Amino acid sequence: MRYFIELAYNGTYYHGWQYQPNACSVQETLNKALSTILKTPIDIVGAGRTDTGVHAKQMFAHFDCDSEINSSQLVHKLNSFLPKDIVVFNLYLVHDDAHARFDATKRTYEYHIHQQKDAFENETSWYCQHQLNVKKMNEVCAILFEHTDFECFSKVNTDVNTFNCKIHEAHWLQIENKLVFTIAADRFLRNMVRAIVGTMINIGLEKITLADFKKIIASKDRNQAGFSVPAHGLYLTKIEYNYFKDKNEAIIR
């Protein structure tokens, strides 16, 4: 039987989602918890691979188990067993070939910035003390919808077959001294969101123009784009599937 697990985590003390041979990852921590509670080896498959220090307000993963599971009991046991920076919300029984990564139809990320020194934000938001032209940063968001090839924002030497992504949403929101960038797409390339944000910061600093931004995308050259902002301000916030009729109901089998 295949199950989807819905969870969230603070990535500060993890070397990303993906298993690392010599470092602690979210995937490894969940594998150990599930294997211990279910008393059988479990190997979960995540919907994506968040980097070291990146957070997830919503993450999905799937795993297989030979016997039927009482979902509410397992959720309770996992939350008692797991460290305080990982929380499990739900467990869904899905059809046997459902895949947490390949069946996702849309993913949404947020990047958080604070512009006033704050003793409590440093692990979950990036401190940028420079004045930014947020109006220009929102104007440049519209350019993303005109393109599908985002090789210029991708890490080099990546193993993807295509650099094409369909952007569904992109905008900046400013509330007093805090900025939040939201972006949604059918898929994302490695380092893509952090590179886009870094390039938009250069727009906000008025180091480059909207015309420059278009040229950067056309170049397909990562060296032409801006810096990658730090990982600790990035959140995976939503993953969407066709399995779910609404927030709390899954189409099973």
Side-chain angles (χ1 to χ4, degrees):
M1 295 182 179
R2 177 155 294 186
Y3 290 89
F4 267 35
I5 186 169
E6 182 186 5
L7 65 143
Y9 54 85
N10 181 321
T12 301
Y13 300 108
Y14 296 95
H15 288 256
W17 165 267
Q18 192 76 2
Y19 175 81
Q20 304 286 333
N22 299 307
C24 181
S25 71
V26 179
Q27 182 184 39
E28 178 187 14
T29 304
L30 276 168
N31 278 343
K32 288 181 178 178
L34 283 164
S35 299
T36 299
I37 293 171
L38 296 175
K39 299 179 180 179
T40 186
I42 298 293
D43 186 17
I44 61 173
V45 177
R49 301 178 181 181
T50 55
D51 290 336
T52 299
V54 175
H55 318 289
K57 293 183 179 180
Q58 183 185 58
M59 168 63 101
F60 281 94
H62 75 253
F63 67 92
D64 296 330
C65 187
D66 291 336
S67 57
E68 188 170 352
I69 296 171
N70 184 308
S71 297
S72 59
Q73 285 184 9
L74 181 58
V75 168
H76 177 75
K77 288 179 180 179
L78 282 169
N79 284 323
S80 299
F81 189 92
L82 288 165
K84 62 183 179 181
D85 47 14
I86 301 177
V87 58
V88 174
F89 299 126
N90 288 300
L91 192 73
Y92 302 105
L93 178 65
V94 294
H95 58 80
D96 293 342
D97 59 352
H99 200 286
R101 178 184 175 189
F102 298 132
D103 292 350
T105 58
K106 186 165 72 172
R107 296 169 172 84
T108 303
Y109 281 89
E110 290 178 356
Y111 195 84
H112 290 234
I113 295 172
H114 58 286
Q115 295 189 280
Q116 181 175 314
K117 188 175 180 181
D118 191 314
F120 303 101
E121 296 278 358
N122 295 317
E123 292 182 346
T124 55
S125 176
W126 177 48
Y127 176 42
C128 177
Q129 58 184 312
H130 304 291
Q131 290 297 314
L132 299 172
N133 188 330
V134 181
K135 182 175 182 291
K136 287 288 185 185
M137 291 162 65
N138 264 319
E139 288 176 7
V140 82
C141 287
I143 297 173
L144 295 173
F145 301 115
E146 301 171 4
H147 298 270
T148 54
D149 188 326
F150 295 103
E151 185 173 359
C152 68
F153 298 125
S154 173
K155 272 191 175 180
V156 295
N157 301 321
T158 187
D159 58 356
V160 298
N161 296 320
T162 175
F163 294 97
N164 289 344
C165 308
K166 175 64 175 175
I167 305 293
H168 297 288
E169 178 185 0
H171 58 82
W172 287 89
L173 176 65
Q174 183 170 22
I175 303 175
E176 297 180 347
N177 294 309
K178 295 184 179 181
L179 287 172
V180 177
F181 175 62
T182 301
I183 185 168
D186 59 346
R187 63 190 290 264
F188 286 92
L189 306 168
R190 289 192 63 194
N191 200 58
M192 179 175 166
V193 179
R194 291 165 61 192
I196 288 176
V197 173
T199 308
M200 287 188 175
I201 292 295
N202 286 337
I203 290 282
L205 293 171
E206 299 184 351
K207 291 183 176 181
I208 62 173
T209 65
L210 272 63
D212 293 328
F213 191 84
K214 292 180 180 180
K215 291 177 182 177
I216 289 168
I217 295 178
S219 75
K220 301 184 181 183
D221 183 356
R222 179 65 187 89
N223 292 322
Q224 298 297 313
F227 67 103
S228 290
V229 288
H232 64 268
L234 184 61
Y235 297 75
L236 174 61
T237 60
K238 190 175 183 180
I239 306 174
E240 296 181 41
Y241 298 91
N242 291 328
Y243 303 139
F244 299 93
K245 294 177 181 177
D246 56 44
K247 185 177 179 182
N248 297 310
E249 185 177 359
I251 302 172
I252 59 173
R253 296 194 177 277

